[in-house]
Each structure stands twice: as structure tokens, then as C-alpha cells.
Amino acid sequence: MTQTRQDVHFCRNANGFLSAEIDGVSYDRVQLTRALPLTQPGAYIQIADMEGKELAIIEDLSALERAERALAEEELALRYFYPEVTKVHSMKEKLGSYYCKLQCGKVEKTIAIRDVSKNIKQLSGGRIMITDTEGNRFLIPDTKRIEKRSMRMIEPFLY
Amino acid sequence: MPPRHPPGPPGGGSPPPGMQKKSKQFEKELLALFEAQGLDCSKLIIGATGDLNAVGDYLTVWATFDPKGIYIAEGLETILRISKNKPPKTAYSLTKIESIPIGDVDELHIERYATTGSLIAKQGADDHLLCRFSIGMAGDFQSLCDAFNNFKQGKSVEGFSGSIGRQEGGGKKGERGGFAPPDGPPHGNPPRGGRPEPGQEAKDKKPKPPEKKDGKEKSRLWELLRFFSGYKIQMGLVLLIVMLQGLTGVLVPKLSTQALFDTVLNAGNTDPMDTRLAALLTLALSVLGLKLLSEVFNILHSLALGLVAPGVIFDLKKQIFASMQKLSLRFYSSKATGQLMERINRDAGQIQHFVIDGIPFLLVNAATLVGIVVMLFLLSWRLAVVVVAVIPILLSLSVFGDRLFRRMHHRTFAADAKLVSIVSDNINGHRVIKAFAKEDDEYERFSEISEEVKEASWKLNKREQKIFPFFTALVYILTTGVLLLGGMEVLKGRMEIGELLTFTIYLAMIQGPIGFIQNLSNWMARANDSMHRVFEVIHAEDELPENPAAQPLEPFEGSIELNELTFEYEPARPIIKNVSLKVGAGQMLGIVGKTGAGKTTIANLISRLYDPKTGAVRIDGVDVKDLPAAQLRRNIGLVSQDIYLFNGTIADNIRYADPSIGMDGVIRAAKVASCHEFIMRLPDAYETRVGASGQQLSGGERQRVSIARAILQNPKILILDEATAAMDTATERAIQESLHQLQQGRTTIAIAHRLSTLRDADMLCVIDNGELREFGSYGELLKLRGEFWKLNKIQNEAMAAIGVPIEDIPFEVIEEEGENQAENQGGN
């Protein structure tokens, strides 16, 4: 059960976008997609052209050369951007939606969450993913490291 | 009426073998009556018992035949006595016997109506009605017809009792049509290779689980107690603690009242003040000590039970769930989903309530009751007798109440289940309800049932309010009586005042347990009702029992053979009628037919989701009943019209068959099923949660996920039940391509409306009204110009009408290429 392994190299094109050379064929711009964004962000990365046609799948990013891996990770980090929540200030319910005041680094944000049981998800490794009504996502990287007061506010919504 | 043919020398040679078993069809006494009418019973071949004569009188009718004629007898059978272990004794009377010369009848057949059927004799173009029967007997009469027709054609005859060969038999071969005749034992031939005769044999030997009906209620409670058996030590401890608790509680009044009044405070006590004070203090302290001890025991027993009860409930729920997995499709389709959910949740909850709250209280109260009664007797046996005499009355009342309430609880439950059923119906069908603007009507419907629930609860409450005061009144009368009698005893000097006081205190105490007994009846009724339903699920017979001697097939090749398969969902309404066909390992069989023709049923029979009524499904020559269910299911992949995705991620759903499969395999399967692309477009890709609480996928998307699931299962036999019906033509093409890849090395049964998707099939069969009409390859069937040709034509015309170019092979082409003579005609 092995994918046909393809020779993949990344570089940046003149305008700073990610390009790839796959089995000797170069593509000016490619996009990367995670197959398992929540549990294994570094595994099974799909490389597709700008029309979305799949070109290759990288089973493990760590198999790449370090510089190219950094390029891929940079690209992925931009595509999968989750502000990291450092503090939960408050959590209030109003008309079925929860209004949540978060501290994400230096930025303070108030988001609305509907359908809390579905949109506050516990992931592996003590991570919590919060999706607001607009589809933005916020990540609590480690429930053990966040202060207890914040955790107490989130805890009742975890299933 | 005597038979027209006097018994004479046998016309058909020696009596057929298997005669000795005929007594199973007709009792000896009946045969004797036939003999008395001049019939030679030793020649009878097969018989059937019906219950309506030709004009529709409800009596007993026997139909049978021998080599010379058909005999229709009328009479009555009366069952004289039924004893448990012996077969019932039956008396017969014969009023009429009619015989028809065998030469006058060309063929026998039956006609089925709504609740009855008729046995019809065909002579030339004429039909003659011989007798009628209730529809349940149709099977027996069908056997009679089959046997007769085979006999008429000079073939060997298969009766109930097995094959009956006939001398001039030999039979025209290939009677069943030109398609590959099933390899199994043909009629009359001895079974090959020592393998037992399929169907009948297996049916007789079908292991019957032991009857569970005996015992009823008592055993139900016992059954519940069985769940405690893993906790014997803990339960022993609980019992001990409870006894001690009861004892300490009972001892308190003895000290606090009797000892206090009769010893310490007694006017006649001449001890010095100090001694009396000291005695008072001791008494007070020991009362306090006892009270505290009682409380400690109370805590201890709650603790011990708290440890046991959740375990018991857990075991119970686990077993309900395990039993539900075992239940057949038939069980699920016969019970509303709401009722099932209700059953699991509410009933287990109810039993939990009973186990955690009820049983400890029962124990404490029983212990207290016994202690009090003992104390009462110690104080004054005269008074105690009066009290004890009343207790049975209270108890019998509670038993009566139990009966009364059980029925009412059942009614409440039934109404409640209906309510839940409506709610789940509404949730599942909300689209239809909205589309038809039926919200108000649904609300009405809900209100109606709600009303029913309300009524039922009201009635229950009212009944309770009527019964309980009665109990209380009895207790009041008892208390007053004791006061009266006890007062007299004291006046007579037979009793101390302290004793009477203590007695009344005990009497007050006894009201606790008695009050509990009132509740107990209620509680028991509720729990009993719940237990009844829960154990119904637990004991529900496995309708598809696995043969204990089942041997796994090594290797599992995947050739399928249907041998005279007949199946009915409801008695006497066959859905599949005598279908026989064969698919070689690795071949593809397409099943075509109108909606409701029985195509899916055939697929269900192959995967043994149901068992056929007669006939057999054989895989690699082995009856599926004799295969281990696990092997069978593992090797049969099903992609059907209605797809169910479990709660979980897409990846988990794809690797449902084997969770150990890595992402490589999942992605590969997804690519084959052409769902990789759309999955990668979802924000969470393979980790998107699907199922009831997850992301909504479209019908086609779900279908493709389920195909990927089947691909990973890697089954030897693949059943595609309208697998691509929910997809657009382009996607269908893509999937057809991937399915084609998938089919390599697998036996495939493809059920489809669109004939074009079945072009690759090695063999095609047309099922109509449960019967096999045509069987052959695509080209052969087109040439037949039968059902298949017609279907094909209609579809081509429809396609042409909407502007799709006709893609099928034009008829001329087939005409040219036809060198394989298609001589396929339907099996029946």
C-alpha cells in the first residue's frame, strides 16, 4: 500500500509564490493542502496546481530537504492560519450564541460561536479548536499550559 | 363416495420409497379412514391438509394423489386432548371423498388470494377448482402441486419426506431452461459428496434456542438478580450491613421508651437518685450510640451498593446493546426506531432506578419489618398477633395494586413511545413535512398523542390517589385498635405502660416499611414493565443462528449459486419465487428488473441478512447458513442505495472494515472511488466529521465514501445495489471505471436501473415479480427480444428524447455477431 513516490522539490518563483518541480516537471505555482489538518499537520500534504488538480502527495514533510521543508511549512502556515489563544477573558451566552472574548497574543478579539458543541472541538495533544460563526478558527495549543481561569470557562463546552 | 377406481394392482410399479414417512403428513387414524373407503393408502405420494372446500365451507380438506388419481376428502378433525409431551390426539371423521382419475388432470397449480388460496386442476384449457385453503397452507399445497406435476412429467418426485424416485422416471433434462443449471443436487439424485441435502435438512436441524417463555415474572426478577452474580461478596456485605442497620434501628425504641419508662422513670423504682441519673445518662448515651451506629451502617450500605449498582447497570446496558447487534434486520424493520431508542434509554434507566434506589430500600425495609415484628411479639404476643394479621391484607392489596398498575404503566409507556416515535419521524422527515407544509398537521398529531400520554398519566395518578388513602386508612384503624386493646391489657395489669408506649412507637415505625410496600407495588410494576421489554430484546431469538459446526471456507473463492430460492417477508406472500442461478468466482452478474421486483432482496439473501424460506444460497458450494457469519460478512462488500456514515471522520468511515489501515490505503481507496478530490477541498479534509452530528455531504459524496469503504474491505464478493444511482452521469462514468478496477478478481452482483452500466456483466438476469425471467449475456438477452430487450429499448428512447446519443450496441450489430446461440428462457 504505497503511493507511487514522486520526486518533489520546492522553490519560490520570482513573485515569491511557491513553485514545485515534480518528477522533473516544474509548476510555476502550486498549492498545498493537508489531508489530516487536525491530527497530523505534517503528513499527507497534497500538492495541487492552481486549478486544484492533484499533482502529488507528500507522505511526510520531514522527508524533504530542510530548506524546502521550511518553504512548505511556511506556505502551510499561511494557508492554515489559526491565531493561538493565550487567554479567554469571558464567555457569555446571548440568544443562543456564545460571545467569547479572547486574547490572541497582542490582539484582543471577541468572536461569536454558534452550535458550541460542534464548534469547540477537542483535538489530540490537548489542543482545542474554536470555529466562530464566520468560519474563522482559533487554536488553544495546549490546555495544560493555558491559565486555569481560561480553562474553567472553556471546559463546560468540551465533549 | 367411494373412489371411482377400485384398489388394484399398482400401475406405477413398486411403491415409491419414503412411504414410511408419509404418516407425518397424514395421521394413521386418517389413513385408516381412507382405507375404509377403499383407498390403497400405501400408494399415496404426498398429501396436503386444507381447511375450505370448493364452495367455501370451513372444515377440513385433505388433498392427495397416488399413481391413479387425485383424492379430495372432506371431513373434520377434532383435537381430543393436548398433553404436554405427547403429540395431540386427534379424532377424524370423513364425510366425503372424491377421486379424479389422474389422466383427467394435466397439471395442478395453486392460486393465491388475499387470505385464501385455491387448488386448481388444469385439463386442457379448462381450470377446475378442487378445494380452497387458508393462505398459510399455500406452501403445503405448492409442494403437492410440484410433486404432482413432476410425477405427471415422469420425473422423480420430491415429497415432504424426501425424494421419491419413479421407475419410468429419468426425466427430460434441462427442464429448467437453458442457462447454467445449478450445480447442486438435482431432484431425486442422491446428494453428492456426503454433503447433507440443502434447505430442508438445514431447516430441520436449525438449532432452536431454548424456550424462554416459562417462569415469566419471577424469573424476570431472578434474571435481574443474575446480573448481581458477579458481585456476590459485595452483595453479601450489603445484606449484612443492612441487617445490622435494621437491627440497630429497631433496638432504639426498646431502650429509649421501654427501658426509660419501665425501669428508669418507673414510679416504683426505689434506687437512689444518683443511680437513676447514671442509668438515665447511660440510656441516653446508648440511644445516641445506636442512632449513630445505624447512621454509619446506612452510609456503609449506600457506599457498597453505590459500587455494585453502576456495575450491574453497565452490564445490563452492555448486554442490551450486544443483543441488539445480534438481532436480525427483521426485528429492526418490525419495531419503530423511536420505540427501540426509548427501550434502551428509558427502560435501562427505569431498571437503574429500581436497582439503585429500590433494592436497598427493599432490603432495609424488609430487615426493619422483620425486626419490628419480632419486637412486637416480645412485647405482647396478643397485640402482635392482631398487627401481624393485618399485614397480609396490606401485602395482598399491594400485589393487587401491582397488577393494576402494571397495565397502566404499560399504557403510559406505549403512549410515550408513540410520542417519541412521532418526534423522531418528524426529525427524519422534516424535509417532506416542510415541502408539504404539514407543520400544523404534525403539530396536531403530536398534540393528539400528547393528549393520550396525559390521559394515561392522569388515570394512573387518579388510580394511585384512590388506592393510597385506603392503605392509610387501614393503618389508622390498626393503630386505633392497638390503642384500645393495649389500653385494656394495661388496665388488666398484663402490660406495663412503657411496653404499650414502645408498642405504639413500633407501630408507628412499621408504617415506614408498609408505606414502602405501597410504593413497592408501584415501583415493581414500573421496573417489571421495563424488565419485560428489556429482556424481550435480550432474549429475542437470533433469527439467523450460526451453525455451531460452521467451518470457514479455505480459500474463499466467491462463486455464488442460488438454488430454487424462495423468500417471503410475510407468510405466504413470496417475494422471491424459485430463483436458481449461478455466478462463477470473479464473474459479474447484473440484476435488472422493475422497482419492487425483488432485486435487493436477492442481495440481502446472499449476504444472509435474511434466510430463504426454501432453497439455498451457496458460496463455493457451501450453504451460507453453514458458513461462519464473520467470514461471510467480511467477504461480502455491500454498496447500497441508502448509505449510512457513522459519526466520526471521513478517514475513519473509509477504514471502517479495518481501522488499522494507514492513511496510504485510505487515500488510495478514496482515489479509486473518486472521492479524494472533494474530500481534499473540505477544510478539514480527511478529518471532516461526518455522520449524524457532522458535516452534511451530498448523496453522491456519501455514496463515493461508502464505495471507498467497500474497496478497503477488499471483499471477495461485491454487491452494488444501485451504487451509482445517486450520481450524475459524468461521475457515474468515473466511478464505473473505478468499480471496474475494483471488480477484478471479485464476484460482483450489480443491481442497476440503467442498463448501460451493466454492459460489462458476464451474465445478466431479469427479475420480474420475484421470478427469474431471462438469464444470459447482454448480447444474448437483447437477441431474445424479451423483457430485457424491452427495457433496453425504453431506456434508449428515453435517453434519445433528452438528447443523449444512443450509446448501446445497435440491434443490427448484435444480429451479426450472434454466433452463440442464446437459448435462454426463464426458469419458470
Side-chain angles (χ1 to χ4, degrees), chain B residues 127 164 230 430 582 823:
Chain B
D127 282 347
I164 302 168
H430 66 105
K582 200 180 166 186
E823 39 161 22

Side-chain angles (χ1 to χ4, degrees), chain B residues 185 191-199 201-202 205 618 626:
Chain B
R192 302 166 306 152
R195 188 167 279 290
E197 183 97 16
E201 190 86 3
K205 280 192 180 163
R618 269 178 257 164
D626 298 328

Side-chain angles (χ1 to χ4, degrees), chain B residues 93-126:
Chain B
S93 65
L94 208 59
T95 51
K96 203 168 131 188
I97 184 160
E98 196 183 337
S99 73
I100 302 118
I102 200 150
D104 288 1
V105 179
D106 296 335
E107 191 193 283
L108 282 182
H109 66 270
I110 59 169
E111 286 175 6
R112 292 165 199 260
Y113 316 123
T115 60
T116 59
S118 295
L119 181 65
I120 311 270
K122 208 172 171 68
Q123 185 187 14
D126 283 351

Side-chain angles (χ1 to χ4, degrees), chain B residues 627-646:
Chain B
L627 284 176
Q631 190 194 23
L632 185 68
R633 302 274 155 76
R634 200 176 52 241
N635 283 293
I636 296 184
L638 178 70
V639 180
S640 73
Q641 304 152 271
D642 43 333
I643 317 116
Y644 190 80
L645 297 184
F646 294 95

Side-chain angles (χ1 to χ4, degrees), chain A residues 1-3 5 33-40 44-46 52 54 57 59 80 82 118 121 137, chain B residues 651 661-668 671 676-677 680 682-687 689 693-695 712:
Chain A
M1 287 243 179
T2 45
Q3 224 78 34
R5 273 179 211 289
T33 315
R34 285 170 173 156
L36 305 168
L38 305 179
T39 55
Q40 296 178 55
Y44 298 101
I45 307 297
Q46 181 199 50
E54 180 173 308
I57 285 185
E59 269 178 51
Y80 292 88
Y82 314 123
K118 201 169 135 187
K121 270 187 294 195
R137 293 185 168 197
Chain B
I661 287 174
M663 269 313 287
D664 278 347
V666 172
I667 291 179
R668 211 179 52 126
K671 278 184 175 168
H676 176 66
E677 225 174 286
M680 285 307 283
L682 295 168
D684 287 342
Y686 279 90
E687 289 181 318
R689 298 198 77 82
S693 68
Q695 177 109 16
L712 271 196

Side-chain angles (χ1 to χ4, degrees), chain B residues 587-633:
Chain B
Q587 283 195 313
M588 176 179 178
L589 170 78
I591 303 181
V592 185
K594 292 190 196 110
T595 309
K599 296 168 301 201
T600 302
T601 308
I602 291 184
N604 285 344
L605 287 170
I606 292 173
S607 12
R608 205 187 172 211
L609 296 175
Y610 294 102
D611 268 346
K613 182 163 180 278
T614 60
V617 175
R618 269 178 257 164
I619 291 176
D620 295 347
V622 180
D623 194 323
V624 288
K625 288 177 192 160
D626 298 328
L627 284 176
Q631 190 194 23
L632 185 68
R633 302 274 155 76

Side-chain angles (χ1 to χ4, degrees), chain B residues 722-734:
Chain B
E722 304 281 5
T724 53
M727 287 167 216
D728 60 87
T729 317
T731 316
E732 183 175 6
R733 288 271 165 79

